Each structure stands twice: as structure tokens, then as C-alpha cells.
Amino acid sequence: MRRIRQLDPHVVNQIAAGEVVERPASVVKELVENALDAGARHVDVRVRDGGKALIEVADDGWGMDSGDLAVAFGSHTTSKIEAAEDLRHIGTMGFRGEALASIGSVARAAIVSRPPEDDAGHRIQDFDGEIGPVEPAAASPGTVVRVENLFARLPARRKFLRTAATELGHIKTLMGRFALAFPHVGFRLRNDKQVLLETAPDEDRHTRIERVHGPDVARGLLHAAEKHGEPLLEAWIGPPTMTRGDSKLEQVFLNGRFIRDRTVAHAIREAYRDLVPPGGRRPVVFLFLSCDPREVDVNVHPGKAEVRWRDGQAVHRVVRTTLRRALEAAAPGASVTLPGGDRHASREAAVEHAFQRPPAATHATGWLPPAPAPSHDTVREHPPAEAPADEPKGMAGGLRPLAQALGTYLVLEDGDSIVLVDQHALHERVLFDEINDRLREKGQLEVQRLLVPLVVHLEPADVARLFEAQALLQSLGWVIEPFGDDAVAVQGVPAILRRPDPEAALEELLSVFEQGSRDGLDRTHLLEAAVDRMACRAAVMAGDALHEDEVLALLKRAEALNHSHSCPHGRPTRLTLERSHLERWFHRTV
Ligand code: ADP
Ligand code: MG
């Protein structure tokens, strides 16, 4: 017969350690959080062998006296909360009172501490659950916690640790996050003697991002902020042109905590919607939210990486609208600043580059005689009696095509500026929106029936995959039928495809499905990804010669769109050179 019994505290701590202490980086996380909760201005972390041999965290916070030290390694001992209602407004990083007890139960841990107002310090140790007495010790103000030989007595857990380099990598990532979240605190990370991170206290966030992620990332970031309301938001975000294959640089902090949160992640996706390709590349986003601790429950996850919002909708709205506003304000296609301005170094470079190219005329297809003289204000004020019969042919939203240059760029005049348009990017953008509109209205794209079905040979698994997605294929304008195990008969293709190459187009769709199942995309996002590829495939390519009428038609369609300034992949579609900038560039003005 089995009896129910109370677990021995040592076992309790080891169970807690199973949740809290996964690897050296989790020890560093708990110790640095304690230092921050103790009001430290400097936090110094030293590790050896990726933290497996040694982790030492020193701070200059308010320390612990002998009485505090005596209970610090006890389980469920904390100075941060007292009663259950305190859980409703947690303003500290820690509150569970489990970290030191857990760490002491799975390693050789020692604390030396001295409150700044005391003359001397004390020490205590906890070697794999054996807690020693408090003893006097020489100490500077603040606290040093030393943790050696993590999991040495627990081979089953030690076995799960990775190489020193990998464990060190986790610690570096973690310290980088602290450095971003607490710009007023100075952090140092050393592996043996090697300094891996060093920041002075009281730096600004942008400087911190540069220190941690390098100047290439920091330089291009846009600032976005919401300074009123709940939650408050400060963000540094990449323009749509700056994307990555993974989400490592999509970082969200709430009240100093690094969090993973679906609401916020979704709001970020929405903000970048149709500016970066769906389902694939991820934007660069450093997001710092702060809110009243009452507005959020952080007690839902032992590592506290997940939170529960009281008003998730408000959070979603603040993140989405603040980011979107910043992205739209910085939209490529807004006028460029020539040297002399200072903000958009990369755009300046682009302009200079454009000027250094061989003169466009040598490669251009001319459509129009030289542009008429610019209209003068007097002309507008005193219009000729009869309507101007010779209004320049081909106005589309004020844009007047002049030429197609280098086989790829449309050269246009727009009032007082010259506009260069990437024809592929613009066409792709137009198609992307037109396809989506049509899907929204009719639920399905137009089909071009083939006179003779075309047999496409595929792997049997791919054939199966296509038929699983039959409904989606149909809505995109595909009509396919089974043709044995390893082929399909294509009866109809989307009418929109400019050069129908069913074989390549189906391969492409298969890769979308594959990526979709890897990323766990739902049907809407899968469709979006498929439309994105389709728009690219259906668009005119760089190098395609375009007739002037086609250019005008394209510009008319683009005019109707809101975000025609960037293609669905976030590449800009146009570059504007204003007369005033040109005049400055050519020293026509003083
Ligand atoms: P928690 O942080 O959840 O309270 P811990 O086990 O991490 O639990 O720490 C227990 C207590 O020890 C803390 O509440 C705090 O009072 C004290 N403490 C731990 N580390 C430090 C430190 N670096 N400086 C001052 N006090 C500390
Ligand atoms: Mg703690």
C-alpha cells in the first residue's frame, strides 16, 4: 500500500529547479534579475566553461544583512511579496522566492553580501542542498553570488547541457536582452578574461541596440513611440526593406521583461502587413512596453516569459497603430534628401548611386519629345480662354512617363520632381492587391481553360499535397485532376499569369505549402503567401520592354492603391528626386 507523504524540502527544491534552472543561462537570468530588483546600477557577470564550471554575478544593489542571508536559500523565501493580492501588481522581476533555493539544490552556490550602510558583510553557502551557517566575510557593498559545477550531482541533467560555446551563446543572448531592457544599468559579461559585453550606465536605447546588435542593424531603425495611454510604447523598428529569415530580432519587452506574446506578435504582423512578404521574412522590431502592473498577470509561467493581459485589445491596437504610423511616415517613395540632410544615409547613398550611373538616355526608350517647360504659377492664375487642347498626353495621377531606362526603370515626371519606378516591383504590388480584391469580392480568380490538358509529373507525396489543398488551388484559378499516382492533369490555369508555366507555378505553390506547414500557417496566411508568389510570377519582369500604353495603364492601377510605394516584399517601388534637391545638388541655389 502506498502512503501519501509530505515531500522533503530538498526534493521540493529540486522539483522547482527542474522548472526554473534548465541551463547556465537560466541561472544567470535569475541572478541578474535579483540584482536588478535590488536596485543595482552595475551588474557584472563572469562565467567559465559556458557557465558549466562557474557563474558569478556581482552587483552594487542594496544587499542582504546576516538575517536575510540566513533565509535566502530557503524555499519560498522572498522579500518581494507578502500576500496573495500582491500577485495582482507585481513590480519586480522576481516574486516566487524559488530561484536561490533551486539553484542551491543543484549546484555549489555561495552568496557574499553587504548592505551599503553596514560596515561588514556576511556569507552563506548551499552546496547541493546542504545549507551552511551565516559567517562574517569581507565584502564590498552589494552582493556577489557564485554558482559552481551546475548539475554535477545530477548526471541525468548535466547530460542535457550543450557545448560550452552553445551555453555561452545563450548567456550572451540573455545579457543582450537585459542590456536593451535596462538602459540605465551598466552590464558586463566576461567569459574567463574575455569581455563579451560592456555597457556604461545611463545609455539610451538606440545606443544599446547598436552595442548589442551592431551598427548595421541600429543604423536603419525607425523610432516609434506612444507616450500617452496604456500601455506606453517605445520601439525601434526596421523599415520593410530590412527583414530576416528568423525572428531573433523581433524582441518584445514588457516592464523590463523579455516576453513572448501572441497578441503583440500578431499586432506586429498586422503593422507590417503587405509591406513584408507574409509567412516568410520577419521584420526587425525592438519593442518596449510599459504598463501598470495591475494591467497584466505575469504569474502564468515559471520563467515568466508569458503574460496574460487584462485588455489584450488595447495592447494590440497600440502596437499595431504606433508601428504602422511610423512605417507609413517613413515610406520609401517619400522624397529623398540629398547630401546635406542627415537622417537617411542609405537613401542618400542610393541617390548618389543613381547619379553615378551612365546617362539614362543612352539606354532609354524615348516615348515623348522633351518635356514641356514647367508650368508657371502665372499660367495657373490666368488660364488661356480655351481649355488647353495640348495637355501633355499620358497623365496618370500627375505622373508623366518620359522613358524606360536600363530596361527596368520607368522615368517619370511628377510636377516638380522626377520619379524613377521599378516596373517589376510596382506591377507586383498592383497585382497583389488586385488579386486580393478579387478574392475578397468573388472568392475565386478567373480561370484560363487549356484546350489540351497538360500533364505535370510530380512526386506522389506532392500530388497528395496538391489535392489536399484543392480548395485553395481552385480559388486561385487552378483546375487540376488526378492523373495516376505521380502526375496531375492541368485543365485550367489562373488567367492572370503572364507566362503560364504550370509546371514551375505548381512547384512554387508546393514550396509555399511546405513552408506553410513548417511555420504552422493557417489557411488565410497560406493563401496570402500563395498570392504573393503569384503576383511576383504574373508581374512584368525587370528587362521586359513596356509599351507606353502599358506604362500608363500600370500607373493608373497603382494610383488606386494605398501602399504602392513598396512592393509586397517591402522593396521600394519608386525613388523621387525633387527639383529643389536637384537644384541644391547642382548648386543652382545659394
Ligand atoms: P525572488 O527573487 O523571487 O524573491 P529569489 O530566490 O531569487 O526569490 O531571492 C530570494 C530573496 O533574496 C529575494 O526576495 C531578495 O530579498 C534576496 N536577494 C536575492 N538576490 C539578491 C541580491 N542580489 N541583492 C539583494 N537581495 C537579494
Ligand atoms: Mg529572484
Side-chain angles (χ1 to χ4, degrees):
M1 191 160 109
R2 290 173 192 264
R3 293 255 160 231
I4 298 176
R5 62 182 85 81
Q6 179 83 46
L7 286 175
D8 161 283
H10 180 55
V11 181
V12 171
N13 289 339
Q14 286 211 358
I15 292 172
E19 286 188 324
V20 179
V21 186
E22 189 193 343
R23 54 178 5 135
S26 17
V27 174
V28 176
K29 173 171 183 283
E30 295 297 332
L31 299 183
V32 171
E33 288 188 354
N34 280 346
L36 293 167
D37 281 345
R41 257 178 76 74
H42 291 91
V43 179
D44 193 350
V45 179
R46 196 160 66 87
V47 301
R48 262 207 329 261
D49 197 19
K52 292 195 269 187
L54 169 83
I55 295 165
E56 191 180 86
V57 177
D59 69 58
D60 57 357
W62 54 62
M64 285 171 274
D65 63 15
S66 58
D68 280 343
L69 278 178
V71 293
F73 279 121
S75 40
H76 309 299
T77 53
T78 179
S79 57
K80 298 169 193 174
I81 56 170
E82 267 181 53
E85 62 251 32
D86 294 342
L87 286 172
R88 282 193 242 137
H89 50 90
I90 289 180
T92 49
M93 304 292 284
F95 58 86
R96 299 166 65 104
E98 285 180 329
L100 291 179
S102 305
I103 293 166
S105 75
V106 295
R108 291 165 63 97
I111 310 175
V112 178
S113 191
R114 176 185 146 196
E117 63 277 13
D118 291 1
D119 297 335
H122 292 85
R123 72 187 309 271
I124 185 170
Q125 66 188 36
D126 182 350
F127 284 2
D128 297 298
E130 305 258 328
I131 304 176
V134 177
E135 293 167 336
S140 351
T143 303
V144 180
V145 183
R146 239 179 117 86
V147 178
E148 287 168 288
N149 301 340
L150 183 65
F151 300 146
R153 298 269 207 95
L154 300 164
R157 302 208 56 195
R158 179 108 189 157
K159 206 175 66 196
F160 280 102
L161 296 184
R162 303 283 164 214
T163 61
T166 303
E167 297 300 343
L168 185 63
H170 287 291
I171 295 171
K172 264 164 65 181
T173 302
L174 174 81
M175 290 302 293
R177 289 176 191 159
F178 278 124
L180 298 197
F182 294 86
H184 59 283
V185 177
F187 292 93
R188 183 159 65 165
L189 171 64
R190 282 173 299 170
N191 183 38
D192 274 320
K193 296 263 150 54
Q194 191 196 2
V195 177
L196 299 173
L197 174 74
E198 181 141 39
T199 65
D202 297 324
E203 286 179 333
D204 63 57
R205 280 237 161 82
H206 191 255
T207 308
R208 285 285 165 99
I209 293 172
E210 180 170 347
R211 279 204 205 297
V212 176
H213 297 288
D216 284 349
V217 168
R219 200 176 14 242
L221 297 178
L222 310 167
H223 187 244
E226 174 53 59
K227 298 194 180 109
H228 311 281
E230 186 74 35
L232 302 178
L233 169 64
E234 192 196 355
W236 288 94
I237 63 174
T241 41
M242 185 174 173
T243 56
R244 294 171 51 96
D246 61 38
S247 60
K248 285 192 187 132
L249 294 189
E250 203 176 294
Q251 304 189 355
V252 179
F253 300 86
L254 167 66
N255 295 344
R257 262 195 193 91
F258 176 83
I259 58 164
R260 298 181 195 285
D261 182 74
R262 284 185 172 203
T263 304
V264 175
H266 187 264
I268 294 173
R269 260 206 322 274
E270 289 287 303
Y272 280 88
R273 194 186 183 76
D274 69 26
L275 296 175
V276 301
R281 311 278 305 169
R282 307 287 288 264
V284 175
V285 173
F286 300 99
L287 207 85
F288 305 92
L289 289 159
S290 35
C291 72
D292 184 325
R294 275 163 242 273
E295 292 296 318
V296 64
D297 186 357
V298 293
N299 188 24
V300 291
H301 182 265
K304 309 179 195 84
E306 284 163 28
V307 299
R308 199 175 293 135
W309 304 101
R310 241 174 77 174
D311 186 354
Q313 276 186 7
V315 175
H316 192 275
R317 190 176 53 245
V318 166
V319 172
R320 178 173 42 83
T321 55
T322 310
L323 266 50
R324 186 74 191 187
R325 223 181 299 131
L327 289 169
E328 289 187 351
S335 61
V336 291
T337 318
L338 288 176
D342 53 357
R343 259 180 57 74
H344 300 291
S346 55
R347 278 194 220 149
E348 284 168 23
V351 178
E352 282 185 60
H353 190 65
F355 276 106
Q356 281 155 12
R357 290 200 171 220
T362 56
H363 297 268
T365 321
W367 286 316
L368 287 177
S375 58
H376 293 288
D377 288 349
T378 37
V379 174
R380 272 193 219 132
E381 277 165 22
H382 306 285
E386 73 272 57
D390 59 348
E391 186 179 0
K393 181 185 166 203
M395 300 287 282
L399 286 171
R400 205 170 62 89
L402 302 180
Q404 182 191 36
L406 306 175
T408 301
Y409 302 101
L410 309 176
V411 185
L412 310 145
E413 201 180 73
D414 181 12
D416 248 11
S417 39
I418 296 171
V419 180
L420 300 178
V421 171
D422 177 330
Q423 62 183 40
H424 172 71
L426 183 68
H427 194 199
E428 190 179 337
R429 171 80 263 180
V430 167
L431 287 170
F432 181 75
D433 282 34
E434 286 178 351
I435 295 173
N436 279 321
D437 283 351
R438 162 111 197 175
L439 282 173
R440 217 172 298 125
E441 284 157 22
K442 300 245 158 73
Q444 132 130 56
L445 302 185
E446 223 173 295
V447 181
Q448 164 82 57
R449 288 259 163 198
L450 301 182
L451 286 177
V452 184
L454 184 105
V455 176
V456 175
H457 292 276
L458 295 163
E459 294 291 318
D462 286 341
V463 171
R465 202 171 281 159
L466 280 184
F467 285 105
E468 269 165 39
Q470 177 78 309
L472 191 140
L473 287 173
Q474 227 162 37
S475 63
L476 292 176
W478 287 94
V479 183
I480 57 168
E481 275 162 21
F483 198 81
D485 275 355
D486 58 354
V488 297
V490 179
Q491 310 274 3
V493 298
I496 199 164
L497 290 182
R498 200 174 154 89
R499 307 172 182 77
D501 176 356
E503 211 155 342
L506 285 179
E507 286 286 350
E508 195 171 60
L509 278 171
L510 281 165
S511 82
V512 170
F513 298 155
E514 203 174 298
Q515 165 133 24
S517 70
R518 248 199 332 269
D519 296 354
L521 295 189
D522 59 19
R523 193 178 180 279
T524 316
H525 289 99
L526 204 60
L527 182 66
E528 206 178 325
V531 168
D532 176 51
R533 300 282 182 91
M534 199 158 162
C536 180
R537 180 163 280 276
V540 294
M541 293 295 152
D544 283 356
L546 280 192
H547 190 267
E548 188 190 344
D549 293 342
E550 293 176 287
V551 173
L552 289 172
L554 177 57
L555 292 172
K556 279 239 168 59
R557 285 153 75 187
E559 221 185 306
L561 300 175
N562 288 337
H563 303 292
S564 57
H565 48 63
S566 79
C567 80
H569 300 119
R571 289 202 320 272
T573 59
R574 67 170 72 175
L575 172 68
T576 305
L577 305 172
E578 281 180 18
R579 178 196 292 278
S580 59
H581 293 138
L582 292 172
E583 285 173 348
R584 238 183 299 146
W585 175 261
F586 289 110
H587 298 279
R588 282 173 155 267
T589 50
V590 280

